[in-house]
Amino acid sequence: MLKREDVLSLSYLKKTSFTGSCQGVRFLLRRDEQGFLQVFAWPEPYAFDQTPDEQKISCQVEFSEEGVVQAVDWINDKREALLFE
């Protein structure tokens, strides 16, 4: 299970995207042009650019500490759906 402390700080996310994986699911967090935090998740093993779009799911949350917590919870909630589709 992914935890908040597994994701880097808001200061880091302001500058660049953050990718990782947890228990068979890869994820990407990045700040968009409107200032929201975009969250993507997809099944392993491939990187974001090598994974077909139809295998990716996404959501958008507020760019804040609370938003990062929501993103982590969302990734954890979607894990089973991604792995057992």
Side-chain angles (χ1 to χ4, degrees):
M1 176 178 267
L2 186 65
K3 298 179 185 167
R4 166 58 187 104
E5 49 272 5
D6 297 328
V7 177
L8 295 179
S9 69
L10 284 176
S11 299
Y12 180 89
L13 292 171
K14 282 182 183 178
K15 297 176 185 177
T16 190
S17 61
F18 176 73
T19 60
S21 66
C22 182
Q23 299 176 329
V25 172
R26 296 193 49 81
F27 59 88
L28 175 131
L29 287 80
R30 67 180 176 204
R31 189 174 185 187
D32 68 13
E33 297 82 28
Q34 291 81 31
F36 289 98
L37 184 62
Q38 290 182 310
V39 187
F40 296 89
W42 64 96
E44 289 183 335
Y46 301 111
F48 185 80
D49 292 336
Q50 282 71 43
T51 301
D53 288 341
E54 58 270 6
Q55 291 183 10
K56 301 172 194 171
I57 58 173
S58 65
C59 77
Q60 186 175 342
V61 296
E62 182 181 316
F63 189 83
S64 65
E65 184 59 38
E66 189 175 298
V68 174
V69 171
Q70 290 173 343
V72 168
D73 290 344
W74 181 83
I75 293 166
N76 287 327
D77 287 345
K78 299 301 180 187
R79 182 183 165 276
E80 278 194 40
L82 284 169
L83 295 178
F84 302 109
E85 284 187 332

mmCIF file of all heavy atoms in Angstrom, residues 16-34:
data_model
loop_
_atom_site.group_PDB
_atom_site.id
_atom_site.type_symbol
_atom_site.label_atom_id
_atom_site.label_comp_id
_atom_site.label_asym_id
_atom_site.label_seq_id
_atom_site.Cartn_x
_atom_site.Cartn_y
_atom_site.Cartn_z
ATOM 1 N N THR A 16 8.667 19.451 -10.972
ATOM 2 C CA THR A 16 8.727 18.334 -11.911
ATOM 3 C C THR A 16 7.731 17.250 -11.517
ATOM 4 O O THR A 16 7.118 17.325 -10.455
ATOM 5 C CB THR A 16 10.155 17.756 -11.987
ATOM 6 O OG1 THR A 16 10.235 16.832 -13.057
ATOM 7 C CG2 THR A 16 10.580 17.109 -10.690
ATOM 8 N N SER A 17 7.582 16.267 -12.356
ATOM 9 C CA SER A 17 6.653 15.170 -12.069
ATOM 10 C C SER A 17 7.339 14.123 -11.189
ATOM 11 O O SER A 17 8.563 14.081 -11.066
ATOM 12 C CB SER A 17 6.163 14.550 -13.369
ATOM 13 O OG SER A 17 7.240 14.026 -14.098
ATOM 14 N N PHE A 18 6.521 13.273 -10.604
ATOM 15 C CA PHE A 18 7.012 12.212 -9.733
ATOM 16 C C PHE A 18 6.381 10.903 -10.183
ATOM 17 O O PHE A 18 5.162 10.813 -10.339
ATOM 18 C CB PHE A 18 6.634 12.505 -8.277
ATOM 19 C CG PHE A 18 7.009 11.412 -7.321
ATOM 20 C CD1 PHE A 18 8.335 11.203 -6.967
ATOM 21 C CD2 PHE A 18 6.054 10.584 -6.772
ATOM 22 C CE1 PHE A 18 8.697 10.192 -6.088
ATOM 23 C CE2 PHE A 18 6.397 9.570 -5.890
ATOM 24 C CZ PHE A 18 7.721 9.382 -5.547
ATOM 25 N N THR A 19 7.196 9.898 -10.429
ATOM 26 C CA THR A 19 6.693 8.586 -10.816
ATOM 27 C C THR A 19 7.156 7.539 -9.819
ATOM 28 O O THR A 19 8.168 7.715 -9.137
ATOM 29 C CB THR A 19 7.181 8.164 -12.219
ATOM 30 O OG1 THR A 19 8.604 8.110 -12.209
ATOM 31 C CG2 THR A 19 6.699 9.130 -13.278
ATOM 32 N N GLY A 20 6.396 6.465 -9.759
ATOM 33 C CA GLY A 20 6.765 5.377 -8.871
ATOM 34 C C GLY A 20 5.911 4.164 -9.148
ATOM 35 O O GLY A 20 5.101 4.154 -10.078
ATOM 36 N N SER A 21 6.072 3.153 -8.327
ATOM 37 C CA SER A 21 5.253 1.957 -8.450
ATOM 38 C C SER A 21 5.025 1.379 -7.067
ATOM 39 O O SER A 21 5.819 1.580 -6.140
ATOM 40 C CB SER A 21 5.909 0.933 -9.366
ATOM 41 O OG SER A 21 7.096 0.459 -8.793
ATOM 42 N N CYS A 22 3.929 0.644 -6.962
ATOM 43 C CA CYS A 22 3.582 0.016 -5.691
ATOM 44 C C CYS A 22 2.693 -1.187 -5.970
ATOM 45 O O CYS A 22 1.604 -1.030 -6.540
ATOM 46 C CB CYS A 22 2.864 1.022 -4.795
ATOM 47 S SG CYS A 22 2.436 0.357 -3.178
ATOM 48 N N GLN A 23 3.165 -2.363 -5.646
ATOM 49 C CA GLN A 23 2.390 -3.596 -5.718
ATOM 50 C C GLN A 23 1.706 -3.798 -7.073
ATOM 51 O O GLN A 23 0.517 -4.066 -7.166
ATOM 52 C CB GLN A 23 1.355 -3.626 -4.601
ATOM 53 C CG GLN A 23 1.983 -3.587 -3.232
ATOM 54 C CD GLN A 23 0.955 -3.515 -2.116
ATOM 55 O OE1 GLN A 23 -0.119 -2.958 -2.291
ATOM 56 N NE2 GLN A 23 1.291 -4.068 -0.985
ATOM 57 N N GLY A 24 2.465 -3.636 -8.139
ATOM 58 C CA GLY A 24 1.962 -3.923 -9.477
ATOM 59 C C GLY A 24 1.342 -2.756 -10.222
ATOM 60 O O GLY A 24 0.923 -2.893 -11.363
ATOM 61 N N VAL A 25 1.278 -1.595 -9.578
ATOM 62 C CA VAL A 25 0.702 -0.406 -10.203
ATOM 63 C C VAL A 25 1.758 0.688 -10.278
ATOM 64 O O VAL A 25 2.455 0.964 -9.309
ATOM 65 C CB VAL A 25 -0.519 0.106 -9.395
ATOM 66 C CG1 VAL A 25 -1.009 1.431 -9.920
ATOM 67 C CG2 VAL A 25 -1.626 -0.916 -9.427
ATOM 68 N N ARG A 26 1.865 1.292 -11.445
ATOM 69 C CA ARG A 26 2.751 2.438 -11.618
ATOM 70 C C ARG A 26 1.900 3.690 -11.547
ATOM 71 O O ARG A 26 0.707 3.654 -11.836
ATOM 72 C CB ARG A 26 3.489 2.351 -12.954
ATOM 73 C CG ARG A 26 4.413 1.133 -12.998
ATOM 74 C CD ARG A 26 5.396 1.148 -14.128
ATOM 75 N NE ARG A 26 6.138 2.375 -14.274
ATOM 76 C CZ ARG A 26 7.222 2.735 -13.563
ATOM 77 N NH1 ARG A 26 7.669 1.958 -12.614
ATOM 78 N NH2 ARG A 26 7.840 3.853 -13.816
ATOM 79 N N PHE A 27 2.516 4.808 -11.143
ATOM 80 C CA PHE A 27 1.762 6.051 -11.020
ATOM 81 C C PHE A 27 2.634 7.246 -11.370
ATOM 82 O O PHE A 27 3.864 7.167 -11.343
ATOM 83 C CB PHE A 27 1.179 6.213 -9.609
ATOM 84 C CG PHE A 27 2.210 6.212 -8.515
ATOM 85 C CD1 PHE A 27 2.831 7.379 -8.111
ATOM 86 C CD2 PHE A 27 2.569 5.031 -7.885
ATOM 87 C CE1 PHE A 27 3.792 7.377 -7.103
ATOM 88 C CE2 PHE A 27 3.518 5.014 -6.876
ATOM 89 C CZ PHE A 27 4.129 6.195 -6.495
ATOM 90 N N LEU A 28 1.968 8.331 -11.712
ATOM 91 C CA LEU A 28 2.637 9.583 -12.048
ATOM 92 C C LEU A 28 1.822 10.723 -11.437
ATOM 93 O O LEU A 28 0.593 10.730 -11.552
ATOM 94 C CB LEU A 28 2.724 9.755 -13.562
ATOM 95 C CG LEU A 28 3.304 11.084 -14.038
ATOM 96 C CD1 LEU A 28 4.377 10.850 -15.082
ATOM 97 C CD2 LEU A 28 2.218 11.951 -14.620
ATOM 98 N N LEU A 29 2.494 11.650 -10.792
ATOM 99 C CA LEU A 29 1.868 12.858 -10.265
ATOM 100 C C LEU A 29 2.580 14.042 -10.893
ATOM 101 O O LEU A 29 3.818 14.076 -10.927
ATOM 102 C CB LEU A 29 2.005 12.937 -8.743
ATOM 103 C CG LEU A 29 1.147 12.000 -7.915
ATOM 104 C CD1 LEU A 29 1.743 10.620 -7.849
ATOM 105 C CD2 LEU A 29 0.973 12.553 -6.522
ATOM 106 N N ARG A 30 1.795 15.006 -11.378
ATOM 107 C CA ARG A 30 2.398 16.205 -11.961
ATOM 108 C C ARG A 30 1.437 17.374 -11.842
ATOM 109 O O ARG A 30 0.217 17.206 -11.849
ATOM 110 C CB ARG A 30 2.797 15.982 -13.418
ATOM 111 C CG ARG A 30 1.639 15.790 -14.365
ATOM 112 C CD ARG A 30 2.123 15.584 -15.784
ATOM 113 N NE ARG A 30 1.005 15.301 -16.667
ATOM 114 C CZ ARG A 30 1.098 14.666 -17.805
ATOM 115 N NH1 ARG A 30 2.269 14.228 -18.210
ATOM 116 N NH2 ARG A 30 0.037 14.463 -18.551
ATOM 117 N N ARG A 31 1.998 18.544 -11.773
ATOM 118 C CA ARG A 31 1.204 19.767 -11.702
ATOM 119 C C ARG A 31 0.836 20.189 -13.120
ATOM 120 O O ARG A 31 1.690 20.222 -14.008
ATOM 121 C CB ARG A 31 2.023 20.863 -11.028
ATOM 122 C CG ARG A 31 1.233 22.093 -10.711
ATOM 123 C CD ARG A 31 2.077 23.054 -9.933
ATOM 124 N NE ARG A 31 1.266 24.192 -9.516
ATOM 125 C CZ ARG A 31 1.759 25.254 -8.942
ATOM 126 N NH1 ARG A 31 3.054 25.335 -8.691
ATOM 127 N NH2 ARG A 31 0.971 26.241 -8.599
ATOM 128 N N ASP A 32 -0.432 20.523 -13.344
ATOM 129 C CA ASP A 32 -0.847 20.946 -14.681
ATOM 130 C C ASP A 32 -0.812 22.468 -14.806
ATOM 131 O O ASP A 32 -0.475 23.178 -13.858
ATOM 132 C CB ASP A 32 -2.208 20.368 -15.058
ATOM 133 C CG ASP A 32 -3.367 20.916 -14.245
ATOM 134 O OD1 ASP A 32 -3.206 21.924 -13.525
ATOM 135 O OD2 ASP A 32 -4.466 20.331 -14.326
ATOM 136 N N GLU A 33 -1.153 22.968 -15.986
ATOM 137 C CA GLU A 33 -1.069 24.406 -16.272
ATOM 138 C C GLU A 33 -2.039 25.232 -15.428
ATOM 139 O O GLU A 33 -1.817 26.403 -15.195
ATOM 140 C CB GLU A 33 -1.345 24.685 -17.763
ATOM 141 C CG GLU A 33 -0.344 24.073 -18.711
ATOM 142 C CD GLU A 33 -0.643 22.607 -18.999
ATOM 143 O OE1 GLU A 33 -1.815 22.172 -18.946
ATOM 144 O OE2 GLU A 33 0.325 21.878 -19.257
ATOM 145 N N GLN A 34 -3.144 24.621 -14.997
ATOM 146 C CA GLN A 34 -4.125 25.328 -14.181
ATOM 147 C C GLN A 34 -3.789 25.288 -12.693
ATOM 148 O O GLN A 34 -4.508 25.869 -11.885
ATOM 149 C CB GLN A 34 -5.530 24.745 -14.396
ATOM 150 C CG GLN A 34 -6.107 25.005 -15.768
ATOM 151 C CD GLN A 34 -5.583 24.025 -16.813
ATOM 152 O OE1 GLN A 34 -5.275 22.883 -16.496
ATOM 153 N NE2 GLN A 34 -5.448 24.476 -18.046
#
